[in-house]
Amino acid sequence: MATTKLLVDIHTHVYLPRYANMLRARSSVPKIMTTTIDGKEQDRLLILDHEPSGGRPVGPQYWDRDQKLVFMDQHGIDVSVVSTANPWLDFLPASQAHSLALELNTDLEQYCSTGPNVTSSSIKRLYGFGLLPLVPEITTASLLEAVKQISDFPHLKGLIMGTRGVGKGLDDEALDPVWAAIEAAGLVVFLHPHYGVDGKAWGGKDNGHVLPLALGFPFETTTAATRLILSGVFDRFPKLRLLLAHSGGALPQLSSRLASCIDHDPVVASRLKHDARFYVGKLYLDAVAYGPEELGFVSEILSRANRYESGSLSTEPADRKLGSKRVLFGTDHPFFPPLSSTQKWKSVVDNLDAIDSVQGWTEEDKSGVRGTNALALFNIS
C-alpha cells in the first residue's frame, strides 16, 4: 500500500493492563470501580472528582489490543500512534511514578512491536507515545532515564505529557535538561490536558461532560502552551517538536491578541527572540476539531509563522495549504463512543468529513493530514 494513502491516527488512547489494574486497586480518584446498573455489574472509570453520571463506562476497548485493531478496521485506519490516557502518573509519589513509567513504556513497546504490520508493508499498525514520571519531587536523573528508554524503543515515537510538569508547570526552568534530551533524541511531545479549568466556572446546572470537555480541556492546553512560549522554551530548544491536542485549543484564535499583549507588557516585551505568532506556527496540531472551517482557520494561522520571524520582510499572505503540513488526523478513541450502536463512530466520521471539506486544501494536502504528515513527523517508513 502506498504510504500516501495510509490513514494514521495520532490521538488514540490505551489504558494498558498494568495501568488499569493499578486503577482498580485504588480507593480514591482516579480509579476504576465496579458498580451495579440495572442489575448488571459494570466497570466505571473516574478520572476527576465529581465525575458526571458516576464516571465513564469502561471495557476491553480501553486496554485490549484486539479491540483497538477492530476499531481501526471499522474506520479504515491503517496506523495508530497510541498513548496512555490521562491522568498518566500525576497522582503518584515520585518513586512509584518512576518505576511505573519504565514498566508502562516497556509494556507499550511490546504492545506495538508484537502487533501486526500494515498489509504488504514493513510498517507496523501500532506505534506509541511513552510516559515520563512528571511528578513533584522527581529527580532530573529519573526523567532523563525515561527519555533515554523511550528513545531506545524503536516503536515509541515520542511521549505524552500533561500540563503540570514537575509541579510548577511546564515553564519551570528545572525541566530544561529534559527538553534538551527530548530535542536531542528527536522525540515528539504530545501535550494533552487533564484538569481543565476551575469547575466553579461551569455553574450549578447539570450539563454532563460538555463544558469540561468542550471548553475546559482546550482552555487548559491553551494556557500551558502559552506559558511554554512565554518561558522562552522554543528559543532555547528551537528543534523541539510539540503536538497540541484538540487543534491547539483557543491558542490559534488568540495568538494575535497574545502577541499584542506581549508587546505592551514590560515584563515580557524583550524576553522572546520572535513574535509569539512565530512560535505558534512552529507547533503541530491534531485535527480533532470536527469542522472544516475550524481546520482551515488553524492551518492559516500555522502557515504565517515566517512572517513574524525577527528580521523577516515577508508579506506573503497566509496559505492554508502550507499550514496543513502541521495538522494530523486523530480520533480520541476510546472516548466519545456513539450513544447508539452503529458500525462507525460519529466523532471519527465528522473529523474525516471535516478534512475532506476544507476549502483551499488540495487532495495532496488532505492526504497529508490523513496520514503523510504523521509518517514524516514520526519518521515511519
Side-chain angles (χ1 to χ4, degrees):
M1 179 184 292
T3 57
T4 55
K5 299 299 183 182
L6 294 181
L7 183 60
V8 182
D9 181 1
I10 57 84
H11 189 159
T12 177
H13 298 299
V14 62
Y15 287 91
L16 292 164
R18 186 189 305 272
Y19 188 83
N21 290 337
M22 182 266 294
L23 292 180
R24 286 193 186 93
R26 289 177 55 81
S27 59
S28 59
V29 174
K31 64 180 180 178
I32 293 176
M33 65 177 189
T34 301
T35 187
T36 300
I37 299 177
D38 297 329
K40 295 182 179 179
E41 286 192 345
Q42 185 178 88
D43 282 345
R44 288 268 173 168
L45 169 67
L46 289 84
I47 60 173
L48 292 169
D49 291 323
H50 313 298
E51 283 266 357
S53 307
R56 308 152 192 255
V58 294
Q61 72 274 24
Y62 279 72
W63 44 78
D64 187 282
R65 185 176 65 188
D66 289 342
Q67 290 293 310
K68 179 70 73 178
L69 292 167
V70 166
F71 168 82
M72 291 169 62
D73 291 341
Q74 286 176 338
H75 297 87
I77 297 167
D78 300 289
V79 177
S80 288
V81 187
V82 300
S83 52
T84 300
N86 49 305
W88 312 289
L89 309 172
D90 289 15
F91 52 94
L92 297 174
S95 60
Q96 186 180 358
H98 177 219
S99 59
L100 189 57
L102 300 181
E103 291 168 348
L104 288 171
N105 289 338
T106 300
D107 291 348
L108 186 59
E109 170 65 17
Q110 184 177 29
Y111 176 100
C112 299
S113 64
T114 60
N117 286 19
V118 174
T119 303
S120 302
S121 171
S122 60
I123 294 175
K124 303 297 291 186
R125 296 200 66 188
L126 297 164
Y127 294 90
F129 290 103
L131 282 174
L132 299 185
L134 283 167
V135 298
E137 311 303 326
I138 198 71
T139 65
T140 300
S142 295
L143 294 172
L144 295 179
E145 180 184 2
V147 172
K148 176 66 163 55
Q149 180 199 33
I150 293 168
S151 66
D152 285 344
F153 280 139
H155 299 92
L156 302 190
K157 299 298 183 177
L159 54 101
I160 189 167
M161 187 179 289
T163 62
R164 286 198 170 177
V166 289
K168 296 180 181 178
L170 300 181
D171 53 358
D172 187 344
E173 285 78 7
L175 281 174
D176 274 9
V178 180
W179 297 127
I182 291 171
E183 181 187 51
L187 297 171
V188 177
V189 177
F190 182 23
L191 183 61
H192 191 290
H194 169 68
Y195 299 97
V197 300
D198 189 336
K200 295 177 182 177
W202 311 133
K205 187 176 180 63
D206 183 5
N207 290 305
H209 289 99
V210 172
L211 288 169
L213 294 184
L215 302 183
F217 270 21
F219 289 170
E220 179 187 346
T221 300
T222 301
T223 302
T226 300
R227 286 174 60 179
L228 276 174
I229 291 172
L230 292 174
S231 73
V233 161
F234 296 107
D235 287 332
R236 296 193 296 278
F237 310 104
K239 294 182 180 179
L240 185 66
R241 298 183 295 171
L242 186 68
L243 168 66
L244 300 187
H246 312 126
S247 297
L251 185 56
Q253 173 66 39
L254 298 175
S255 54
S256 289
R257 180 177 177 84
L258 171 64
S260 178
C261 287
I262 291 171
D263 287 343
H264 292 87
D265 193 313
V267 174
V268 293
S270 61
R271 184 186 295 172
L272 304 178
K273 293 181 179 179
H274 307 287
D275 184 289
R277 288 164 286 194
F278 172 80
Y279 306 105
V280 172
K282 298 303 181 182
L283 301 171
Y284 294 86
L285 307 180
D286 72 18
V288 184
Y290 308 104
E293 294 81 10
E294 288 83 352
L295 290 179
F297 171 77
V298 299
S299 67
E300 283 191 21
I301 298 301
L302 293 172
S303 74
R304 64 183 186 174
N306 291 338
R307 189 192 300 176
Y308 297 101
E309 187 172 10
S310 297
S312 173
L313 299 177
S314 172
T315 57
E316 60 188 44
D319 182 356
R320 59 177 52 184
K321 294 193 293 293
L322 180 63
S324 74
K325 309 303 183 191
R326 290 178 173 268
V327 182
L328 299 87
F329 169 70
T331 65
D332 216 348
H333 179 262
F335 300 102
F336 298 103
L339 296 179
S340 58
S341 179
T342 58
Q343 182 179 5
K344 292 191 175 182
W345 292 32
K346 184 177 187 298
S347 57
V348 180
V349 173
D350 285 350
N351 275 341
L352 286 171
D353 286 347
I355 294 168
D356 287 341
S357 303
V358 174
Q359 297 296 313
W361 283 3
T362 66
E363 284 305 313
E364 182 180 359
D365 299 329
K366 296 171 184 178
S367 181
V369 175
R370 294 188 200 103
T372 311
N373 297 345
L375 297 176
L377 179 63
F378 297 110
N379 194 27
I380 298 172
S381 62

